[in-house]
Amino acid sequence: MNSKFVQMFTVGVSCTCLICAAVVTYSVNSKKNNTVRVESRDEFLSVNQDLLPQTVETIADDQGQKILDALFTGKEIPNTDTDVCIWAESDNDNVQTVLEDTSIDLKLHYNKENDEMVTQMCLTENGNETISMNASIVGDKATIYCPEIDQNFYTLSKDQFLYGIGSVTGIGEGGSKTPDSEADGNDTDSDNTDADNDNTDTAQQSADPSSSELAEILEVILTAVTQDNIQVINDNSVCLSHFDEDITGTTYICTPGSKDFQNMLNSLADYMDSHESARIYVHNMLGEASLFNYRIGKLEKLLINEDGALRDNAKDIADKLAGRDFNWTVSSDETGTGRYLNLSFYVEKIKIELTCEKSLAGGSYTSVSLDDSFISFMAMPDAEEINNISSLGLSYGKTTVTAGGKDHSSDIEITTRKSDDGDADETIMEFYGGENIGNIALHIESKASCTAQIPKVSEELQKDMTLYSDEEVLELFKTYKNGLASILLKSKVLGIVL
């Protein structure tokens, strides 16, 4: 997998989530006997809502989504008890020699109500333990222990631990956390810190797809859909090409006119001019993609109305969108099970297209393309476990993720199933790692229980740092950071990746 695959994965998921959020924002209770009837603008949007979340939920549901949010957005993880073992296989003999009897074991217990967190991580290479890291927070006390870096078992205050982690990783605040410095206090600094925190919270909220800021942007965009520009075609047959199925039912076509689009674009320009947080949100959505595609960079400048670009070009864009360049078609069979959606349009010669299919057997397909790049998700659930999810919140079954461009593409096939003995869940990610690595199968085995424990060490190795200074706490965490980096740089597994 290369960096462009990761970038397209990010952009694709962002675009999918954006459009999902749009239709969910306007969801209504228009279902009756599992059949959807379209009689209004809101009901048209509800048909989209019924289809889109289904495709997203095939990847991660509830607990899994919260864990992913915690990993990639910094949100607090949900209460969790899990043991995870990760190992890999390769069809390259040289690589397999390194991967043999090699694994990463993670154990995590977290309970917010009891203010408890116990975590252990162990890296084993060719049957030999390379490193074992242990950390815990229970109430106001924290511990850290890694004998490969430092033989001592350290006890700190919770605030000292968070300060040390924040200082060496950039996660968290990293302000002074020793008892003396807390006691000294400074009202002026405290007020400034609170103000900074408020600003940080606001910025984070503006980048959150569930925030009110996004809802406001979508409300402006969807003013282009009116009661008068939705066409209904009954008894229409549509082919779900990725499932080799035909569905017959009602097709809905939304065809806004030039004036509809122009009014919406002018309103969007006004909104962008008056809401800096909206401009930040668009940058967070498209800014990474603009690094490797200058036309997407132009699209970002257009959407945020930089130098009046959106307002100045509103009529021209509206005329093009109202012509052959815009398509928004949704189809549903009579039961509401089989679905099809296609939304495509051009902005500044950049084609943006979303296609979704939901098969009668429960499978789903979603693809998002942006200019010459695309990403798609093809999910087939396990019929016997269709209403269940794994201990990591993943849906049972198989999902194929494909991303690429005109001349290349990369696939990741993700299969989640119960282990043979039924005691654990196993997720297998298969992909091609390049000529030097070969085909890789990454195994992630998880259990819905945790065996993490705070290590017991002899009294002479226990060291209490609760009264130590910030500088001494920081020095300890720097030692851990440098020691971990040194161990990992000697790792054979890391060597084959690099």
Side-chain angles (χ1 to χ4, degrees):
M1 291 187 300
N2 55 31
S3 59
K4 190 163 184 177
F5 182 97
V6 176
Q7 292 167 333
M8 272 310 303
F9 185 91
T10 303
V11 174
V13 171
S14 298
C15 291
T16 304
C17 291
L18 176 65
I19 300 171
C20 287
V23 294
V24 170
T25 300
Y26 282 89
S27 63
V28 295
N29 295 323
S30 59
K31 290 184 180 180
K32 187 175 182 181
N33 297 327
N34 208 28
T35 302
V36 181
R37 295 184 302 113
V38 174
E39 296 179 346
S40 69
R41 170 181 181 272
D42 286 340
E43 289 174 349
F44 165 77
L45 294 173
S46 78
V47 179
N48 294 268
Q49 179 224 350
D50 291 333
L51 176 61
L52 287 167
Q54 173 71 23
T55 63
V56 175
E57 289 168 3
T58 58
I59 300 171
D61 193 357
D62 193 26
Q63 181 86 347
Q65 187 60 51
K66 291 176 183 176
I67 292 174
L68 291 175
D69 284 345
L71 290 174
F72 294 110
T73 68
K75 294 179 182 178
E76 186 175 39
I77 65 173
N79 287 350
T80 302
D81 278 289
T82 187
D83 283 357
V84 179
C85 182
I86 304 171
W87 75 98
E89 300 172 294
S90 173
D91 61 1
N92 182 307
D93 292 340
N94 293 330
V95 174
Q96 183 57 32
T97 299
V98 176
L99 297 177
E100 196 72 35
D101 294 325
T102 296
S103 66
I104 298 174
D105 290 278
L106 303 170
K107 300 177 180 181
L108 174 63
H109 163 74
Y110 175 71
N111 186 293
K112 181 179 181 180
E113 289 71 30
N114 295 337
D115 202 9
E116 294 178 348
M117 186 276 290
V118 181
T119 181
Q120 295 178 296
M121 186 279 287
C122 178
L123 171 61
T124 301
E125 296 184 282
N126 296 137
N128 299 312
E129 186 176 288
T130 300
I131 187 170
S132 175
M133 294 197 69
N134 306 265
S136 71
I137 298 175
V138 179
D140 294 329
K141 294 292 184 181
T143 66
I144 184 171
Y145 178 58
C146 180
E148 292 81 11
I149 296 176
D150 188 323
Q151 65 176 349
N152 292 314
F153 178 92
Y154 292 95
T155 299
L156 309 91
S157 71
K158 176 181 177 179
D159 286 342
Q160 285 176 316
F161 180 87
L162 296 177
Y163 162 68
I165 289 290
S167 297
V168 299
T169 66
I171 301 173
E173 299 199 9
S176 181
K177 295 298 178 185
T178 59
D180 289 342
S181 62
E182 287 178 353
D184 290 343
N186 186 301
D187 290 339
T188 303
D189 291 342
S190 176
D191 291 341
N192 290 338
T193 300
D194 289 341
D196 290 340
N197 289 342
D198 289 341
N199 291 335
T200 301
D201 290 342
T202 302
Q204 289 176 342
Q205 183 183 22
S206 69
D208 184 347
S210 63
S211 69
S212 58
E213 182 60 63
L214 174 59
E216 292 294 332
I217 296 173
L218 296 171
E219 187 172 353
V220 176
I221 292 174
L222 291 177
T223 57
V225 180
T226 70
Q227 180 73 22
D228 299 325
N229 58 31
I230 300 171
Q231 178 186 3
V232 180
I233 304 174
N234 295 310
D235 299 321
N236 191 50
S237 180
V238 174
C239 176
L240 304 181
S241 60
H242 295 88
F243 298 97
D244 195 24
E245 291 180 1
D246 291 323
I247 59 172
T248 300
T250 307
T251 295
Y252 319 104
I253 303 173
C254 179
T255 54
S258 177
K259 197 64 177 176
D260 297 325
F261 281 120
Q262 188 173 351
N263 290 338
M264 179 272 289
L265 293 171
N266 284 325
S267 297
L268 184 60
D270 292 339
Y271 188 83
M272 290 293 173
D273 285 346
S274 59
H275 292 77
E276 181 182 4
S277 55
R279 299 193 296 273
I280 292 173
Y281 180 79
V282 172
H283 174 73
N284 289 343
M285 292 286 284
L286 296 177
E288 182 73 12
S290 66
L291 296 177
F292 63 91
N293 190 314
Y294 80 98
R295 287 198 288 180
I296 295 177
K298 289 180 61 179
L299 175 62
E300 178 189 337
K301 294 178 181 179
L302 183 70
L303 290 176
I304 65 175
N305 195 41
E306 184 173 304
D307 298 327
L310 183 59
R311 184 178 290 103
D312 292 345
N313 292 279
K315 186 177 185 308
D316 182 50
I317 295 172
D319 288 342
K320 291 179 180 178
L321 287 174
R324 61 180 177 82
D325 291 341
F326 183 88
N327 176 67
W328 189 351
T329 300
V330 176
S331 297
S332 174
D333 73 351
E334 295 177 354
T335 67
T337 302
R339 299 289 177 85
Y340 170 80
L341 177 147
N342 180 263
L343 173 63
S344 63
F345 53 92
Y346 285 84
V347 177
E348 288 292 302
K349 297 182 180 180
I350 298 174
K351 185 178 182 180
I352 302 171
E353 183 170 19
L354 170 71
T355 299
C356 298
E357 296 178 7
K358 181 182 173 185
S359 77
L360 299 174
S364 63
Y365 172 83
T366 302
S367 69
V368 180
S369 63
L370 194 63
D371 202 21
D372 293 330
S373 300
F374 73 92
I375 186 167
S376 67
F377 303 84
M378 179 77 167
M380 289 299 296
D382 184 331
E384 296 181 358
E385 300 285 351
I386 197 165
N387 294 319
N388 299 321
I389 58 174
S390 75
S391 53
L392 291 181
L394 302 175
S395 300
Y396 293 108
K398 181 178 292 186
T399 298
T400 301
V401 183
T402 304
K406 272 185 177 180
D407 305 320
H408 70 280
S409 65
S410 301
D411 294 326
I412 299 180
E413 191 169 274
I414 306 169
T415 303
T416 299
R417 64 193 183 197
K418 287 188 176 297
S419 61
D420 293 337
D421 58 10
D423 188 43
D425 296 312
E426 186 177 27
T427 295
I428 305 172
M429 302 176 63
E430 299 176 274
F431 58 91
Y432 179 62
E435 292 183 7
N436 295 330
I437 297 178
N439 292 299
I440 292 289
L442 181 67
H443 298 254
I444 306 172
E445 184 179 279
S446 60
K447 296 182 178 181
S449 60
C450 180
T451 58
Q453 294 181 331
I454 299 175
K456 298 183 184 299
V457 301
S458 60
E459 188 173 345
E460 58 267 23
L461 295 180
Q462 297 181 29
K463 192 167 186 178
D464 189 341
M465 295 191 67
T466 52
L467 297 180
Y468 281 53
S469 67
D470 282 349
E471 290 75 16
E472 290 170 308
V473 171
L474 181 57
E475 188 62 32
L476 171 64
F477 279 87
K478 284 182 177 179
T479 298
Y480 263 73
K481 178 182 179 181
N482 294 334
L484 178 61
S486 177
I487 291 172
L488 292 180
L489 285 174
K490 297 175 184 177
S491 166
K492 294 179 181 179
V493 176
L494 187 61
I496 64 173
V497 174
L498 299 178

